[in-house]
Amino acid sequence: MSKILFKNARLRSSPELTEILAEDGFITKIGKTDGKSEGAEIIDLGGRLVCEPYCDPHIHLDYVFTAQSFQQNETGTLFDGIASWSESKGSLSKEVLKERAKKGLKEQLVGGTQYIRTHVDVTDPKLTGLQAMLELRDEMKDLAEIQIVAFPQEGMYSYKGGAELVEEALKMGADCVGAIPHFEYTSEMGAKSVKKAVQLAVKYDKLVDIHCDETDDEMSRFVELLAYEAMDNGIGKKTAASHTCAMGSYNNAYAFKLFKLLKKSEINFISCPTENIHLQGRYDAYPKRRGLTRVKEMLDDGINVCFAQDSICDPWYPLGNGNLMYVLDAGFHICHLTSPQYMSHALDLISSNGAKTMNLGERYFLKEGNPANFIVIDAQNDFDALRNRAGVYASIKNGKALFIKKPTEFAEETFSKYGL
Ligand code: 17E
Ligand code: FE2
């Protein structure tokens, strides 16, 4: 039987220090443990902030670290990213895909992420990427919970047999249905793909996550169809719209009408700030659009929005390291979230809002009776964490530390001489 007492923990909900007792991988007490902690191993958190693990609901682990070996994306557009990937993807073996994905996953884990949704390209008759990710999901289950999206990168209908490959991937064990309506040859094909995705989700009891309107084209309006179809089929909460960049270009008259439906449908939104500030605006001269969805306005309206990494060194985005704190920092700036009401809850965007999107349910939260999964952040509160882009000091999974970093050691005599 394992028993660990985490002392001097600071919860996000209160500035007072407290204690967390984990027994056999579960949280048995939050608060003063008195006699209950006798015989426990003690880990002193030094007053650091304890938070539910970060969630990254949008990453492409089958794409990571391909940027350098593939044709350079000179224009930096989404479409040239897809062209570069399409040209070379056939050269990747399952083993290579898995090795690269593991490297990406490790960066995510070290950044404090424990819940991951990976969008896997299934427009490949051999479904090599899918097989690699299915194996990865099982092999890594003690380190991270991974959801797999059957994502037709080259289209459900523009790629021959795309819709069938998505269905096959769901039968093989993918957790979510994907689509890419703005990339299909015609808007009719795009609409058909959205309807098909929802139909497949209902048929196989899966979640939905669509790459939706990832373009500055203000005419790209698939999100309204997705929201309606999800609502009409009773799966709004199980549905996510990723990117929705075009919403940043909609006129306000349309956006206000749209928001009523989005709210009612209860679908979730995933914004990828670093990728979309990089990919969008590429066809603009000045003024140049930011290319992000309406994060602030949706939050104000009570619509669930979260941030995600999307890429680690792939044909779409040459940087990225899986550290969601950097993504959060970028998103806060780009979306004008830098005022107290957002900054005091900043971490929600990379933790609980992502968990809601992933349909993790109550078991995700830091509560007595739940699995002891949490991270320890080098900060005192959300504002402090955001301002300092604070690092994750420790990540605890099922009561065991995945890592604990060493605290910074100051050159004492130098700092104290100056009274610091
Ligand atoms: N594929 C896509 O369609 N959009 C993206 N942002 C990435 C891959 C990274
Ligand atoms: Fe993506």
Side-chain angles (χ1 to χ4, degrees):
M1 169 163 166
S2 84
K3 193 168 178 181
I4 306 177
L5 179 67
F6 297 91
K7 274 176 54 174
N8 295 316
R10 200 183 298 274
L11 304 182
R12 289 174 70 207
S13 52
S14 154
E16 305 300 322
L17 295 185
T18 190
E19 300 183 341
I20 301 169
L21 183 65
E23 292 177 88
D24 289 334
F26 288 85
I27 298 172
T28 48
K29 179 79 187 166
I30 300 178
K32 287 281 166 225
T33 51
D34 303 318
K36 278 186 78 179
S37 59
E38 212 170 290
E41 178 194 340
I42 292 177
I43 297 181
D44 189 344
L45 301 183
R48 293 180 182 85
L49 191 65
V50 171
C51 177
E52 280 91 7
Y54 292 158
C55 297
D56 192 346
H58 192 128
I59 183 87
H60 297 260
L61 282 176
D62 52 337
Y63 297 177
V64 298
F65 303 112
T66 53
Q68 259 128 38
S69 49
F70 283 15
Q71 174 74 32
Q72 178 80 14
N73 179 353
E74 303 277 355
T75 62
T77 61
L78 170 76
F79 296 100
D80 280 346
I82 298 176
S84 161
W85 170 252
S86 174
E87 187 181 292
S88 301
K89 68 185 191 183
S91 64
L92 298 172
S93 67
K94 187 175 85 180
E95 289 67 32
V96 167
L97 280 159
K98 235 168 110 179
E99 277 318 300
R100 286 198 170 130
K102 274 190 192 170
K103 221 173 120 193
L105 174 71
K106 187 168 176 191
E107 294 201 343
Q108 292 182 293
L109 290 173
V110 171
T113 297
Q114 289 185 15
Y115 299 92
I116 295 164
R117 178 180 280 179
T118 188
H119 296 245
V120 183
D121 182 10
V122 296
T123 46
D124 158 23
K126 295 201 228 100
L127 293 172
T128 312
L130 178 73
Q131 289 176 33
M133 295 309 127
L134 286 169
E135 288 180 17
L136 191 81
R137 183 182 67 185
D138 287 350
E139 288 166 21
M140 300 294 142
K141 69 176 187 315
D142 293 336
L143 301 177
E145 187 169 320
I146 301 178
Q147 291 180 351
I148 293 177
V149 184
F151 171 52
Q153 177 67 75
E154 298 191 56
M156 257 198 202
Y157 298 107
S158 305
Y159 185 90
K160 207 162 174 288
E164 289 73 23
L165 285 162
V166 171
E167 185 158 3
E168 180 60 24
L170 297 174
K171 287 189 197 153
M172 284 169 67
D175 308 281
C176 313
V177 195
I180 183 165
H182 54 276
F183 180 75
E184 300 284 358
Y185 286 127
T186 68
S187 26
E188 284 74 16
M189 289 157 87
K192 197 170 144 194
S193 75
V194 170
K195 288 187 188 168
K196 181 74 178 177
V198 172
Q199 259 174 28
L200 286 172
V202 172
K203 181 171 173 192
Y204 293 97
D205 191 21
K206 304 280 183 178
L207 304 168
V208 178
D209 193 333
I210 308 277
H211 278 64
C212 195
D213 305 316
E214 191 183 11
T215 165
D216 290 325
D217 175 9
E218 70 279 8
M219 299 302 288
S220 189
R221 293 179 172 188
F222 294 107
V223 69
E224 68 175 22
L225 181 64
L226 176 60
Y228 175 73
E229 289 293 327
M231 180 175 76
D232 196 41
N233 284 279
I235 57 164
K237 288 183 181 166
K238 292 168 95 177
T239 297
S242 283
H243 301 296
T244 57
C245 307
M247 210 195 282
S249 293
Y250 295 158
N251 66 72
N252 273 343
Y254 172 64
F256 285 118
K257 179 224 169 207
L258 175 68
F259 265 47
K260 280 211 169 60
L261 170 64
L262 300 184
K263 178 96 198 267
K264 199 166 171 210
S265 72
E266 298 184 284
I267 69 167
N268 304 282
F269 286 82
I270 303 170
S271 172
C272 305
T274 46
E275 283 66 16
N276 286 130
I277 196 74
H278 165 83
L279 289 168
Q280 310 313 133
R282 292 280 177 169
Y283 303 99
D284 291 353
Y286 286 96
K288 228 181 244 260
R289 282 171 287 185
R290 296 177 185 218
L292 259 67
T293 193
R294 298 191 183 204
V295 174
K296 184 164 174 251
E297 293 73 13
M298 288 199 276
L299 290 172
D300 288 348
D301 220 17
I303 295 169
N304 187 45
V305 193
C306 56
F307 286 144
Q309 171 73 83
D310 204 9
S311 297
I312 300 176
C313 307
D314 66 22
W316 290 264
Y317 181 64
L319 301 167
N321 66 358
N323 185 338
L324 288 176
M325 182 51 76
Y326 298 173
V327 172
L328 186 70
D329 178 60
F332 260 68
H333 287 87
I334 302 165
C335 302
H336 284 165
L337 293 172
T338 39
S339 50
Q341 77 262 37
Y342 307 109
M343 293 194 291
S344 60
H345 295 95
L347 296 169
D348 287 355
L349 279 135
I350 52 172
S351 59
S352 52
N353 292 9
K356 189 171 177 186
T357 301
M358 292 179 71
N359 281 244
L360 298 179
E362 282 303 304
R363 71 191 166 89
Y364 168 74
F365 292 98
L366 196 68
K367 276 203 314 207
E368 289 172 10
N370 273 351
N373 299 334
F374 57 88
I375 56 174
V376 183
I377 302 172
D378 253 322
Q380 306 238 322
N381 53 46
D382 280 46
F383 172 74
D384 203 21
L386 179 69
R387 188 177 71 84
N388 283 307
R389 292 193 188 181
V392 171
Y393 171 76
S395 181
I396 313 297
K397 174 101 174 126
N398 296 322
K400 291 202 196 95
L402 296 182
F403 62 82
I404 301 181
K405 290 185 182 158
K406 289 220 164 47
T408 307
E409 280 184 27
F410 288 97
E412 230 7 281
E413 67 286 5
T414 312
F415 274 75
S416 56
K417 191 167 114 191
Y418 293 97
L420 298 175

